[in-house]
Amino acid sequence: MESGSIQTQRSDREALIERRARREVRSTRLESELVRSENERNERERLTLLLERLLESLADGVVALDFRGEVVHLSDSLREPSLRANPLSPALPEAVLAELRERRYEARIDRPVRFELDWEREDTGERRYRVVGASGEGTSDDGAPQLVVFAFHDQTRERSLEAELNQARNLAALGQMAATVAHELRNPLAAIQGFATLLQRDLPADHTGQRQVHHIQDGVTAANRIISDLLEYCRPLSPRRHAVSP
């Protein structure tokens, strides 16, 4: 009886030790999984931050909308000064936000949506943006994407340069036309000048027609001066560099 009791106690102790060992192994395994999960979460956060910075560097601003159409990310460059001061204000002007909410339904994983957006900014005035929107996987019950990211590219400067280039082309065409017209006008003016000289030679010196001939010659001279100035204005510039004293 006594030896059986001792053996039973020994078996209970061994079972207790085994259970403790299993708990320690399970606890160690859980701790390892927690550490791995924490490392993966930190890595995902670091990668997300890196991707956000990369996207910010490629665009002039980024806006992200969730499936409800609420702003979940907004670049500081797109925040209006009046909306920054009041945290209760909407993240974007209502007109801009309404446009993004409507366009988010057009965004697909394999087919980004592209459109142009005019925005009257408080600090920089009217701006023209080219917006590219891409969605993630999954949609809500109403067909809205779970997440849509809009990248804003400021096209205002490019549009201004295009307008200046078009104006320069128009001026060049106008200058070429003016030069052609000026050359064509010189021929009849030369004929008028020639006939006026012949008339001046044939008339007596004291003839009253001499005054009219002088008026004709003065008019031809003035017209030739205008034509010369016009041709000088239309002539392409050839800048020359040379040293100057300081």
Side-chain angles (χ1 to χ4, degrees):
M1 294 288 294
E2 186 175 349
S3 63
S5 175
I6 292 175
Q7 188 172 0
T8 302
Q9 291 178 359
R10 185 180 301 167
S11 298
D12 292 341
R13 260 197 321 270
E14 290 177 354
L16 179 61
I17 292 174
E18 185 178 356
R19 285 196 299 271
R20 287 180 178 175
R22 289 177 180 176
R23 283 198 298 267
E24 289 178 358
V25 171
R26 189 163 51 248
S27 176
T28 302
R29 186 182 303 134
L30 289 175
E31 288 179 359
S32 299
E33 291 179 358
L34 287 174
V35 170
R36 186 171 64 253
S37 177
E38 182 69 17
N39 292 336
E40 290 177 354
R41 186 176 65 85
N42 292 335
E43 182 65 20
R44 284 196 300 269
E45 291 179 354
R46 188 187 68 82
L47 182 59
T48 300
L49 181 60
L50 179 63
L51 291 176
E52 287 180 357
R53 290 178 177 176
L54 178 61
L55 186 57
E56 294 281 356
S57 65
L58 295 176
D60 296 300
V62 176
V63 178
L65 301 182
D66 62 9
F67 67 97
R68 298 168 300 176
E70 300 297 329
V71 178
V72 295
H73 177 80
L74 176 63
S75 302
D76 291 336
S77 60
L78 298 178
R79 295 181 184 272
E80 296 287 26
S82 62
L83 300 181
R84 296 177 194 167
N86 186 4
L88 299 179
S89 299
L92 289 168
E94 288 298 332
V96 177
L97 186 55
E99 180 74 15
L100 297 182
R101 284 173 174 170
E102 181 179 353
R103 294 284 187 172
R104 67 194 171 105
Y105 290 96
E106 304 175 18
R108 296 292 182 268
I109 299 176
D110 57 344
R111 181 172 52 85
V113 59
R114 293 178 173 85
F115 59 95
E116 292 188 347
L117 178 67
D118 292 323
W119 185 350
E120 185 69 27
R121 302 296 303 272
E122 295 177 355
D123 49 354
T124 58
E126 184 176 354
R127 313 298 294 180
R128 169 66 65 87
Y129 290 99
R130 179 172 55 86
V131 185
V132 180
S135 68
E137 295 183 354
T139 57
S140 61
D141 295 337
D142 63 347
Q146 293 289 344
L147 181 68
V148 181
V149 178
F150 293 97
F152 283 65
H153 303 273
D154 195 346
Q155 302 291 299
T156 308
R157 179 57 181 166
E158 294 182 12
R159 291 304 176 91
S160 177
L161 291 176
E162 288 180 3
E164 292 178 4
L165 180 60
N166 290 333
Q167 184 179 11
R169 289 173 178 170
N170 293 335
L171 289 176
L174 180 62
Q176 185 176 4
M177 182 181 65
T180 302
V181 172
H183 281 297
E184 293 297 327
L185 287 176
R186 280 236 162 123
N187 294 328
L189 286 177
I192 294 173
Q193 179 72 33
F195 283 115
T197 302
L198 293 175
L199 182 60
Q200 183 182 29
R201 186 189 61 183
D202 294 340
L203 290 176
D206 56 349
H207 195 278
T208 56
Q210 290 286 355
R211 178 179 298 179
Q212 283 75 17
V213 172
H214 283 299
H215 287 315
I216 294 174
Q217 291 175 335
D218 291 342
V220 172
T221 301
N224 276 321
R225 189 182 306 112
I226 294 174
I227 291 174
S228 298
D229 293 341
L230 184 59
L231 291 174
E232 183 67 24
Y233 177 77
C234 298
R235 183 179 294 114
L237 296 178
S238 299
R240 290 178 298 176
R241 300 174 58 182
H242 58 87
V244 295
S245 58

